[in-house]
Amino acid sequence: MSQNGVAANNGSTRKGVTYNNILEAAQRPTPLVPLRKLKVEHQLQSDIYVKLEYLNIAGSLEDRTADKAFQFAEEIGVVRGDKVFVTAGGSAAISYATVAAVKGIKLTIYAPKGEFALVDTVLHTLGVDVVELPVTTYSEARAQTEEAAQQKNVFCLNKFTTNAAFVANLQKTACEIERAMNNKSIGKVGAVVIPLNTGAPAAGIAAYYKGTGDHGVRVVGVTCKKDTIPEMGLDLKKDLLQEYGVEQREVDEDEAYAFTRHLIGTEGIMAGPSSGAAVLEAIKLAKELPAGSTIIVVLQDGIRNYLRHFLDDDWITAHKKNVVTRKDGPQPNSTYDPKVLEYDPTKLAGEWTQDPVTKSWSHSDVEFNEFNPERPLVLDTVLDAIGKTPLVKLQHVPKAHGVKCNVYVKCEYMNAGGSTKDRIAKRMVEIAEKTGRPGKLVPGVTLIEPTSGNTGIGLSLASAVRGYKCIITMPKKMSKEKAIAMASLGSTIIRTPNEAGFDSPHSHIGVALRLKSEIQDAVVLDQYCNPGNPLAHYEQTAEEIIYDMGDKHIDLVVLTAGTGGTVTGISRKIHEKIPTAKVVGVDPHGSILAGPAETDIDFYEVEGIGYDFLPGTLDTSAIDYWAKSHDKESFLMARELIRTEGILCGGSSGCAVHYALEECKSLNLPADANVVVLLPDGIRNYITKFLDDDWMNERHFLDA
């Protein structure tokens, strides 16, 4: 990690941070968020805060354990290129695989039967070998793992895993909670509730409070009554729990699934089922503790591994779970007034112009938000976990492609909803709430938005938190994972034909306009024309890049383009602050953003970028020049970033990095040049798409 001096507005020097690899970014504390709606719903007299461990680099609390276990291994001589065996399943397996990818360790993961079912595709993409053993318990699996390691003379990480989980949570998780309390951000902690799998993290937290002499903090571990919830109670270290006084409580599987779905749709907390189970028990505990108590719930993981599981209504029905499935939402009437389709998505709604003297983009009819680089330990809502994403230096991919200069990637998949579009969703909602434009927002209003998915997830998240109904219209080519993520947040999803042009009544835009005319007080925030789209990136994203780069000069910024808000907002700010920097926009073949003469409108697979019209939020003059992208290179680069850098990014991220490296080589940038690339989203939305070998082979994207 390197701190970089940059002059603040008051003339003092502040420190921005870039990270030498994604593991360094894991040192950032995960935030705490209060559950205000559930407090009212359950008439609680105590406060419950959730600790968002799913915002860790690989998406779970297990990231802390895996990092610490490999640190222990390195201390006794394990080095890059060594073979290592470990026993792990589920989120833990992904955590170990991610750390191994960064460290260049050749990892083989062993687990009992069925423990890779929800994560097999991700593990394959990360490049680890997996061995599913014909056993049912982790103790049996560990014994066989250790025997295999001994026979093959390979180091076995199992000797460190329990201690690593204990130490990592004692030194980090518990300390972060204590820091929040010492900063007066939260009240005196009365209890910490945590899902139990091995129980070592809970024991570590309990040990912290024992060590500080604070015996008034109860540490409560939660398991499933029948051990049927993924990653709950499957490998309990009962001696540790007893030694450190961790209380145990049990939940019913179906009750936990139903409540977790409610938690996601009510508070916007995108938690996995073990995390939801822990919150459910925390609510029960809150009714036992004295009024005014503070309860912390450590969330094990997020929704990524469960989009084919309890969040999918088809899975709920097939497995006959006692969970209410979602109802179908409204469909537009088959007859409509053609006037409702009179709409021009190519014009920005409102004024945002450049000062002719200062050349800054300072004239706007929307009030600017001031940039604040701080990342608080305690947030007001989960929406405040949007922004402040880490800037990470690529260590291996540039060299492998013959690039000499420094390449930094901004990991937008670490936003609260998983993508850079969270920023614009939050900003557009803020503007509408303050100004009433493009429509007045009050609780109960219906937001309708045509989107390729990520803006829809961001708006679904904002709607869940702010109390709005939400309808998303989205082309059929967009992944099922995106649709389930939005539906989990309470939105209704309407799919539209891929081939329908933007001006067709059957396109995602046309259907949104028709619904708006039929639903009373419905509001289309309209990411194609809303100034909040580029403003979010001008005010925040670009400022974060400049702040974190500090005294490292930026030579090139490479950005994929969809609605154009990202490239417009970032480019305008970069050109203001660093006039010598160049901004490159990347547009897929089949899209016309780079100019109608550049390509014919055609189908392409990479999601979230490109369009068949020029949105009003795109200022093409802000981009210095364009690169045209292909699907195959984009997906292969995304897979390479995952496998060699441990950066769990999406296909458009691979697109941006591939063409950034091409520009670096074309310009022959020297070793001291600095390039910044924005990674729009992560792997969650694409597990059945480019992470899947069969999907890639069907499209001839994998080399034979």
Side-chain angles (χ1 to χ4, degrees), residues 416-645:
S419 86
T420 195
K421 294 294 190 177
D422 294 350
R423 296 175 183 269
I424 74 166
K426 179 183 178 183
R427 191 69 176 104
M428 292 191 300
V429 166
E430 286 176 349
I431 291 170
E433 288 176 340
K434 281 186 177 181
T435 69
R437 300 194 304 267
K440 187 176 182 180
L441 297 189
V442 294
V445 155
T446 300
L447 292 179
I448 304 172
E449 190 71 18
T451 169
S452 59
N454 279 328
T455 302
I457 294 173
L459 282 174
S460 298
L461 179 66
S463 296
V465 173
R466 304 297 291 168
Y468 308 131
K469 299 172 186 176
C470 189
I471 299 173
I472 301 298
T473 60
M474 183 170 72
K476 289 180 180 178
K477 87 166 188 178
M478 306 309 169
S479 71
K480 183 179 180 181
E481 290 92 335
K482 286 180 179 177
I484 291 175
M486 288 183 276
S488 300
L489 287 160
S491 292
T492 297
I493 317 303
I494 299 175
R495 297 285 203 155
T496 61
N498 293 330
E499 64 275 11
F502 78 92
D503 53 357
S504 164
H506 306 294
S507 71
H508 62 311
I509 292 176
V511 170
L513 293 172
R514 288 160 59 192
L515 283 170
K516 181 179 181 292
S517 71
E518 297 165 12
I519 299 173
Q520 186 176 1
D521 298 325
V523 175
V524 176
L525 291 176
D526 193 357
Q527 61 177 324
Y528 307 110
C529 300
N530 195 308
N533 180 347
L535 275 173
H537 297 294
Y538 177 84
E539 298 165 330
Q540 301 294 324
T541 319
E543 290 282 10
E544 290 171 22
I545 291 169
I546 294 165
Y547 177 84
D548 283 338
M549 287 296 286
D551 54 11
K552 291 196 283 283
H553 186 269
I554 300 173
D555 297 280
L556 191 69
V557 178
V558 181
L559 309 163
T560 51
T563 62
T566 305
V567 292
T568 299
I570 293 178
S571 186
R572 285 179 173 182
K573 179 66 72 172
I574 291 291
H575 284 137
E576 272 182 29
K577 296 285 187 78
I578 312 167
T580 57
K582 300 296 182 184
V583 177
V584 180
V586 184
D587 182 43
H589 281 279
S591 163
I592 66 166
L593 297 185
E598 294 292 327
T599 186
D600 293 327
I601 295 172
D602 200 1
F603 180 81
Y604 51 90
E605 292 282 6
V606 177
E607 297 184 26
I609 59 174
Y611 264 104
D612 58 350
F613 65 94
L614 298 181
T617 47
L618 172 63
D619 175 7
T620 55
S621 68
I623 293 93
D624 291 293
Y625 52 96
W626 292 89
K628 296 294 289 185
S629 67
H630 294 274
D631 287 334
K632 180 177 179 178
E633 289 81 1
S634 302
F635 293 134
L636 291 178
M637 177 54 70
R639 288 166 68 117
E640 185 176 350
L641 287 164
I642 295 166
R643 188 178 65 253
T644 63
E645 304 276 359

Side-chain angles (χ1 to χ4, degrees), residues 320-462:
K320 299 179 180 179
K321 298 299 176 184
N322 186 22
V323 176
V324 177
T325 55
R326 305 175 188 99
K327 297 178 181 178
D328 291 335
Q331 294 289 329
N333 295 331
S334 57
T335 59
Y336 53 88
D337 184 344
K339 289 183 178 179
V340 305
L341 298 175
E342 293 178 358
Y343 161 72
D344 184 358
T346 68
K347 304 293 185 185
L348 189 69
E351 179 192 5
W352 185 25
T353 58
Q354 189 176 31
D355 187 291
V357 178
T358 65
K359 303 300 181 184
S360 67
W361 289 84
S362 55
H363 298 310
S364 171
D365 53 8
V366 174
E367 184 179 348
F368 289 97
N369 279 343
E370 185 176 346
F371 173 60
N372 178 7
E374 301 303 319
R375 192 171 185 257
L377 291 170
V378 181
L379 310 177
D380 187 48
T381 72
V382 72
L383 297 180
D384 296 319
I386 295 171
K388 319 295 194 309
T389 55
L391 197 57
V392 177
K393 184 178 179 182
L394 297 181
Q395 295 293 337
H396 309 293
V397 168
K399 293 174 186 175
H401 289 264
V403 170
K404 296 175 286 187
C405 65
N406 306 305
V407 179
Y408 296 86
V409 293
K410 188 159 178 62
C411 300
E412 290 291 277
Y413 61 86
M414 293 178 71
N415 278 306
S419 86
T420 195
K421 294 294 190 177
D422 294 350
R423 296 175 183 269
I424 74 166
K426 179 183 178 183
R427 191 69 176 104
M428 292 191 300
V429 166
E430 286 176 349
I431 291 170
E433 288 176 340
K434 281 186 177 181
T435 69
R437 300 194 304 267
K440 187 176 182 180
L441 297 189
V442 294
V445 155
T446 300
L447 292 179
I448 304 172
E449 190 71 18
T451 169
S452 59
N454 279 328
T455 302
I457 294 173
L459 282 174
S460 298
L461 179 66

